Amino acid sequence: MLTPEQKAAVASWVQAGDNLSAVQRKLAEQFKVNLTYRDVRFLVDDLDLALKDPAPKVDTTDVSKAPAPARPAAAPAPEKKGLLDKAKEKLGLAKDEPAAEDLEEAGLEDEALPAGGGVKVEIDKVTLIPGALASGSVAFSDGVSAKWIIDQMGRPGFTEVSKPGYRPSPEDGQAFMQELSMQLQRRGY
C-alpha cells in the first residue's frame, strides 16, 4: 500500500514524537494517502514502531490528578478498597483513620481530628452530577470555597472553586479528606 519512501517518512514522524492523528494528517497532506485512524494504528504496528507517550497535562483544580506518592514495593495491596480508601490513596493520605462510629463510642467525635484551621465540609442530600457518587461543598480555612465530587472510580475532585487556580494547603487538604471521610461514613458510604 505505501512505498518504502512513505514508510520511512512515517517511521521518522513517529520517532520525532508524532501521535497517530499527526501521522494520519501528514500522510494525507504530503502523500495524498487517506487512512482511517485505525489503519494508521495498524500501519504503525506493522512497521514495528513505538509511539512516544507525551507527559500528561495536570489540571491543578482537580486534586485527583495529583501524582500519587511512591508506594513501597513490599507493601501488600488491600483486597477490597472502599470509596474513601481509593480517594485517600489518590491524595496520599493515611488510610488508618478511625471510623466515625469508633470516635462516637470514645466520646471524641469531631475533637479527635485536627481542625485544619476551620475546614467545613457539606454533603449534598441529592447528587445530580452525572458520574458522581457523592458531591457537596467545602469552605477552606482561608475563606476559599469549592464544590467537590467523588466520581465512580473513587477519585475526588473540585468542580467549582471561588478562586481560580487555587490549591488548598496540605493541612487543609488533609482536614478536608478527614472531614469528608467522617461525613460520608455517617451517611453510610
Side-chain angles (χ1 to χ4, degrees), residues 1-11 31 47:
M1 168 156 61
L2 293 181
T3 67
E5 173 190 302
Q6 292 168 332
K7 289 179 183 179
V10 169
F31 299 116
L47 295 175

mmCIF file of all heavy atoms in Angstrom, residues 1-11 31 47:
data_model
loop_
_atom_site.group_PDB
_atom_site.id
_atom_site.type_symbol
_atom_site.label_atom_id
_atom_site.label_comp_id
_atom_site.label_asym_id
_atom_site.label_seq_id
_atom_site.Cartn_x
_atom_site.Cartn_y
_atom_site.Cartn_z
ATOM 1 N N MET A 1 0.822 -1.183 0.000
ATOM 2 C CA MET A 1 0.000 0.000 0.000
ATOM 3 C C MET A 1 0.871 1.254 0.000
ATOM 4 O O MET A 1 0.679 2.127 -0.810
ATOM 5 C CB MET A 1 -0.950 -0.030 1.191
ATOM 6 C CG MET A 1 -1.620 1.287 1.395
ATOM 7 S SD MET A 1 -3.164 1.384 2.240
ATOM 8 C CE MET A 1 -2.942 0.787 3.833
ATOM 9 N N LEU A 2 1.862 1.358 0.920
ATOM 10 C CA LEU A 2 2.753 2.513 0.949
ATOM 11 C C LEU A 2 4.097 2.141 0.326
ATOM 12 O O LEU A 2 4.553 1.006 0.434
ATOM 13 C CB LEU A 2 2.990 2.973 2.386
ATOM 14 C CG LEU A 2 1.807 3.559 3.159
ATOM 15 C CD1 LEU A 2 2.249 3.978 4.549
ATOM 16 C CD2 LEU A 2 1.195 4.733 2.439
ATOM 17 N N THR A 3 4.717 3.133 -0.266
ATOM 18 C CA THR A 3 6.047 2.916 -0.845
ATOM 19 C C THR A 3 7.082 2.900 0.284
ATOM 20 O O THR A 3 6.807 3.404 1.393
ATOM 21 C CB THR A 3 6.391 4.043 -1.840
ATOM 22 O OG1 THR A 3 6.525 5.258 -1.102
ATOM 23 C CG2 THR A 3 5.336 4.184 -2.913
ATOM 24 N N PRO A 4 8.271 2.362 0.028
ATOM 25 C CA PRO A 4 9.321 2.385 1.053
ATOM 26 C C PRO A 4 9.643 3.807 1.524
ATOM 27 O O PRO A 4 9.934 4.033 2.695
ATOM 28 C CB PRO A 4 10.520 1.742 0.362
ATOM 29 C CG PRO A 4 9.912 0.842 -0.682
ATOM 30 C CD PRO A 4 8.673 1.553 -1.126
ATOM 31 N N GLU A 5 9.564 4.782 0.606
ATOM 32 C CA GLU A 5 9.810 6.180 0.971
ATOM 33 C C GLU A 5 8.757 6.668 1.968
ATOM 34 O O GLU A 5 9.072 7.350 2.950
ATOM 35 C CB GLU A 5 9.772 7.047 -0.297
ATOM 36 C CG GLU A 5 9.849 8.538 -0.022
ATOM 37 C CD GLU A 5 9.560 9.366 -1.279
ATOM 38 O OE1 GLU A 5 10.271 9.195 -2.284
ATOM 39 O OE2 GLU A 5 8.620 10.176 -1.222
ATOM 40 N N GLN A 6 7.494 6.322 1.717
ATOM 41 C CA GLN A 6 6.406 6.739 2.599
ATOM 42 C C GLN A 6 6.532 6.062 3.975
ATOM 43 O O GLN A 6 6.308 6.686 5.005
ATOM 44 C CB GLN A 6 5.056 6.427 1.959
ATOM 45 C CG GLN A 6 4.767 7.273 0.732
ATOM 46 C CD GLN A 6 3.570 6.785 -0.068
ATOM 47 O OE1 GLN A 6 3.251 5.595 -0.068
ATOM 48 N NE2 GLN A 6 2.915 7.719 -0.764
ATOM 49 N N LYS A 7 6.916 4.777 3.964
ATOM 50 C CA LYS A 7 7.100 4.063 5.230
ATOM 51 C C LYS A 7 8.234 4.682 6.039
ATOM 52 O O LYS A 7 8.133 4.819 7.271
ATOM 53 C CB LYS A 7 7.383 2.586 4.968
ATOM 54 C CG LYS A 7 6.177 1.830 4.460
ATOM 55 C CD LYS A 7 6.515 0.383 4.182
ATOM 56 C CE LYS A 7 5.314 -0.353 3.597
ATOM 57 N NZ LYS A 7 5.636 -1.759 3.294
ATOM 58 N N ALA A 8 9.296 5.083 5.373
ATOM 59 C CA ALA A 8 10.419 5.732 6.054
ATOM 60 C C ALA A 8 9.982 7.066 6.654
ATOM 61 O O ALA A 8 10.394 7.434 7.765
ATOM 62 C CB ALA A 8 11.580 5.932 5.091
ATOM 63 N N ALA A 9 9.128 7.788 5.923
ATOM 64 C CA ALA A 9 8.631 9.070 6.428
ATOM 65 C C ALA A 9 7.785 8.847 7.681
ATOM 66 O O ALA A 9 7.920 9.572 8.672
ATOM 67 C CB ALA A 9 7.828 9.794 5.356
ATOM 68 N N VAL A 10 6.918 7.834 7.649
ATOM 69 C CA VAL A 10 6.079 7.517 8.813
ATOM 70 C C VAL A 10 6.970 7.177 10.003
ATOM 71 O O VAL A 10 6.742 7.655 11.122
ATOM 72 C CB VAL A 10 5.096 6.363 8.494
ATOM 73 C CG1 VAL A 10 4.420 5.861 9.761
ATOM 74 C CG2 VAL A 10 4.063 6.811 7.474
ATOM 75 N N ALA A 11 8.005 6.361 9.764
ATOM 76 C CA ALA A 11 8.922 5.984 10.843
ATOM 77 C C ALA A 11 9.602 7.217 11.434
ATOM 78 O O ALA A 11 9.731 7.339 12.658
ATOM 79 C CB ALA A 11 9.959 4.996 10.330
ATOM 80 N N PHE A 31 1.377 12.998 1.117
ATOM 81 C CA PHE A 31 1.363 11.909 0.145
ATOM 82 C C PHE A 31 -0.022 11.661 -0.457
ATOM 83 O O PHE A 31 -0.197 10.734 -1.243
ATOM 84 C CB PHE A 31 1.874 10.614 0.792
ATOM 85 C CG PHE A 31 3.290 10.713 1.283
ATOM 86 C CD1 PHE A 31 3.581 10.611 2.631
ATOM 87 C CD2 PHE A 31 4.350 10.906 0.399
ATOM 88 C CE1 PHE A 31 4.882 10.692 3.091
ATOM 89 C CE2 PHE A 31 5.653 10.984 0.858
ATOM 90 C CZ PHE A 31 5.927 10.880 2.204
ATOM 91 N N LEU A 47 4.834 -1.660 11.073
ATOM 92 C CA LEU A 47 6.197 -1.167 10.886
ATOM 93 C C LEU A 47 7.037 -1.344 12.152
ATOM 94 O O LEU A 47 8.194 -0.933 12.192
ATOM 95 C CB LEU A 47 6.180 0.304 10.464
ATOM 96 C CG LEU A 47 5.545 0.610 9.099
ATOM 97 C CD1 LEU A 47 5.492 2.119 8.852
ATOM 98 C CD2 LEU A 47 6.307 -0.091 7.989
#
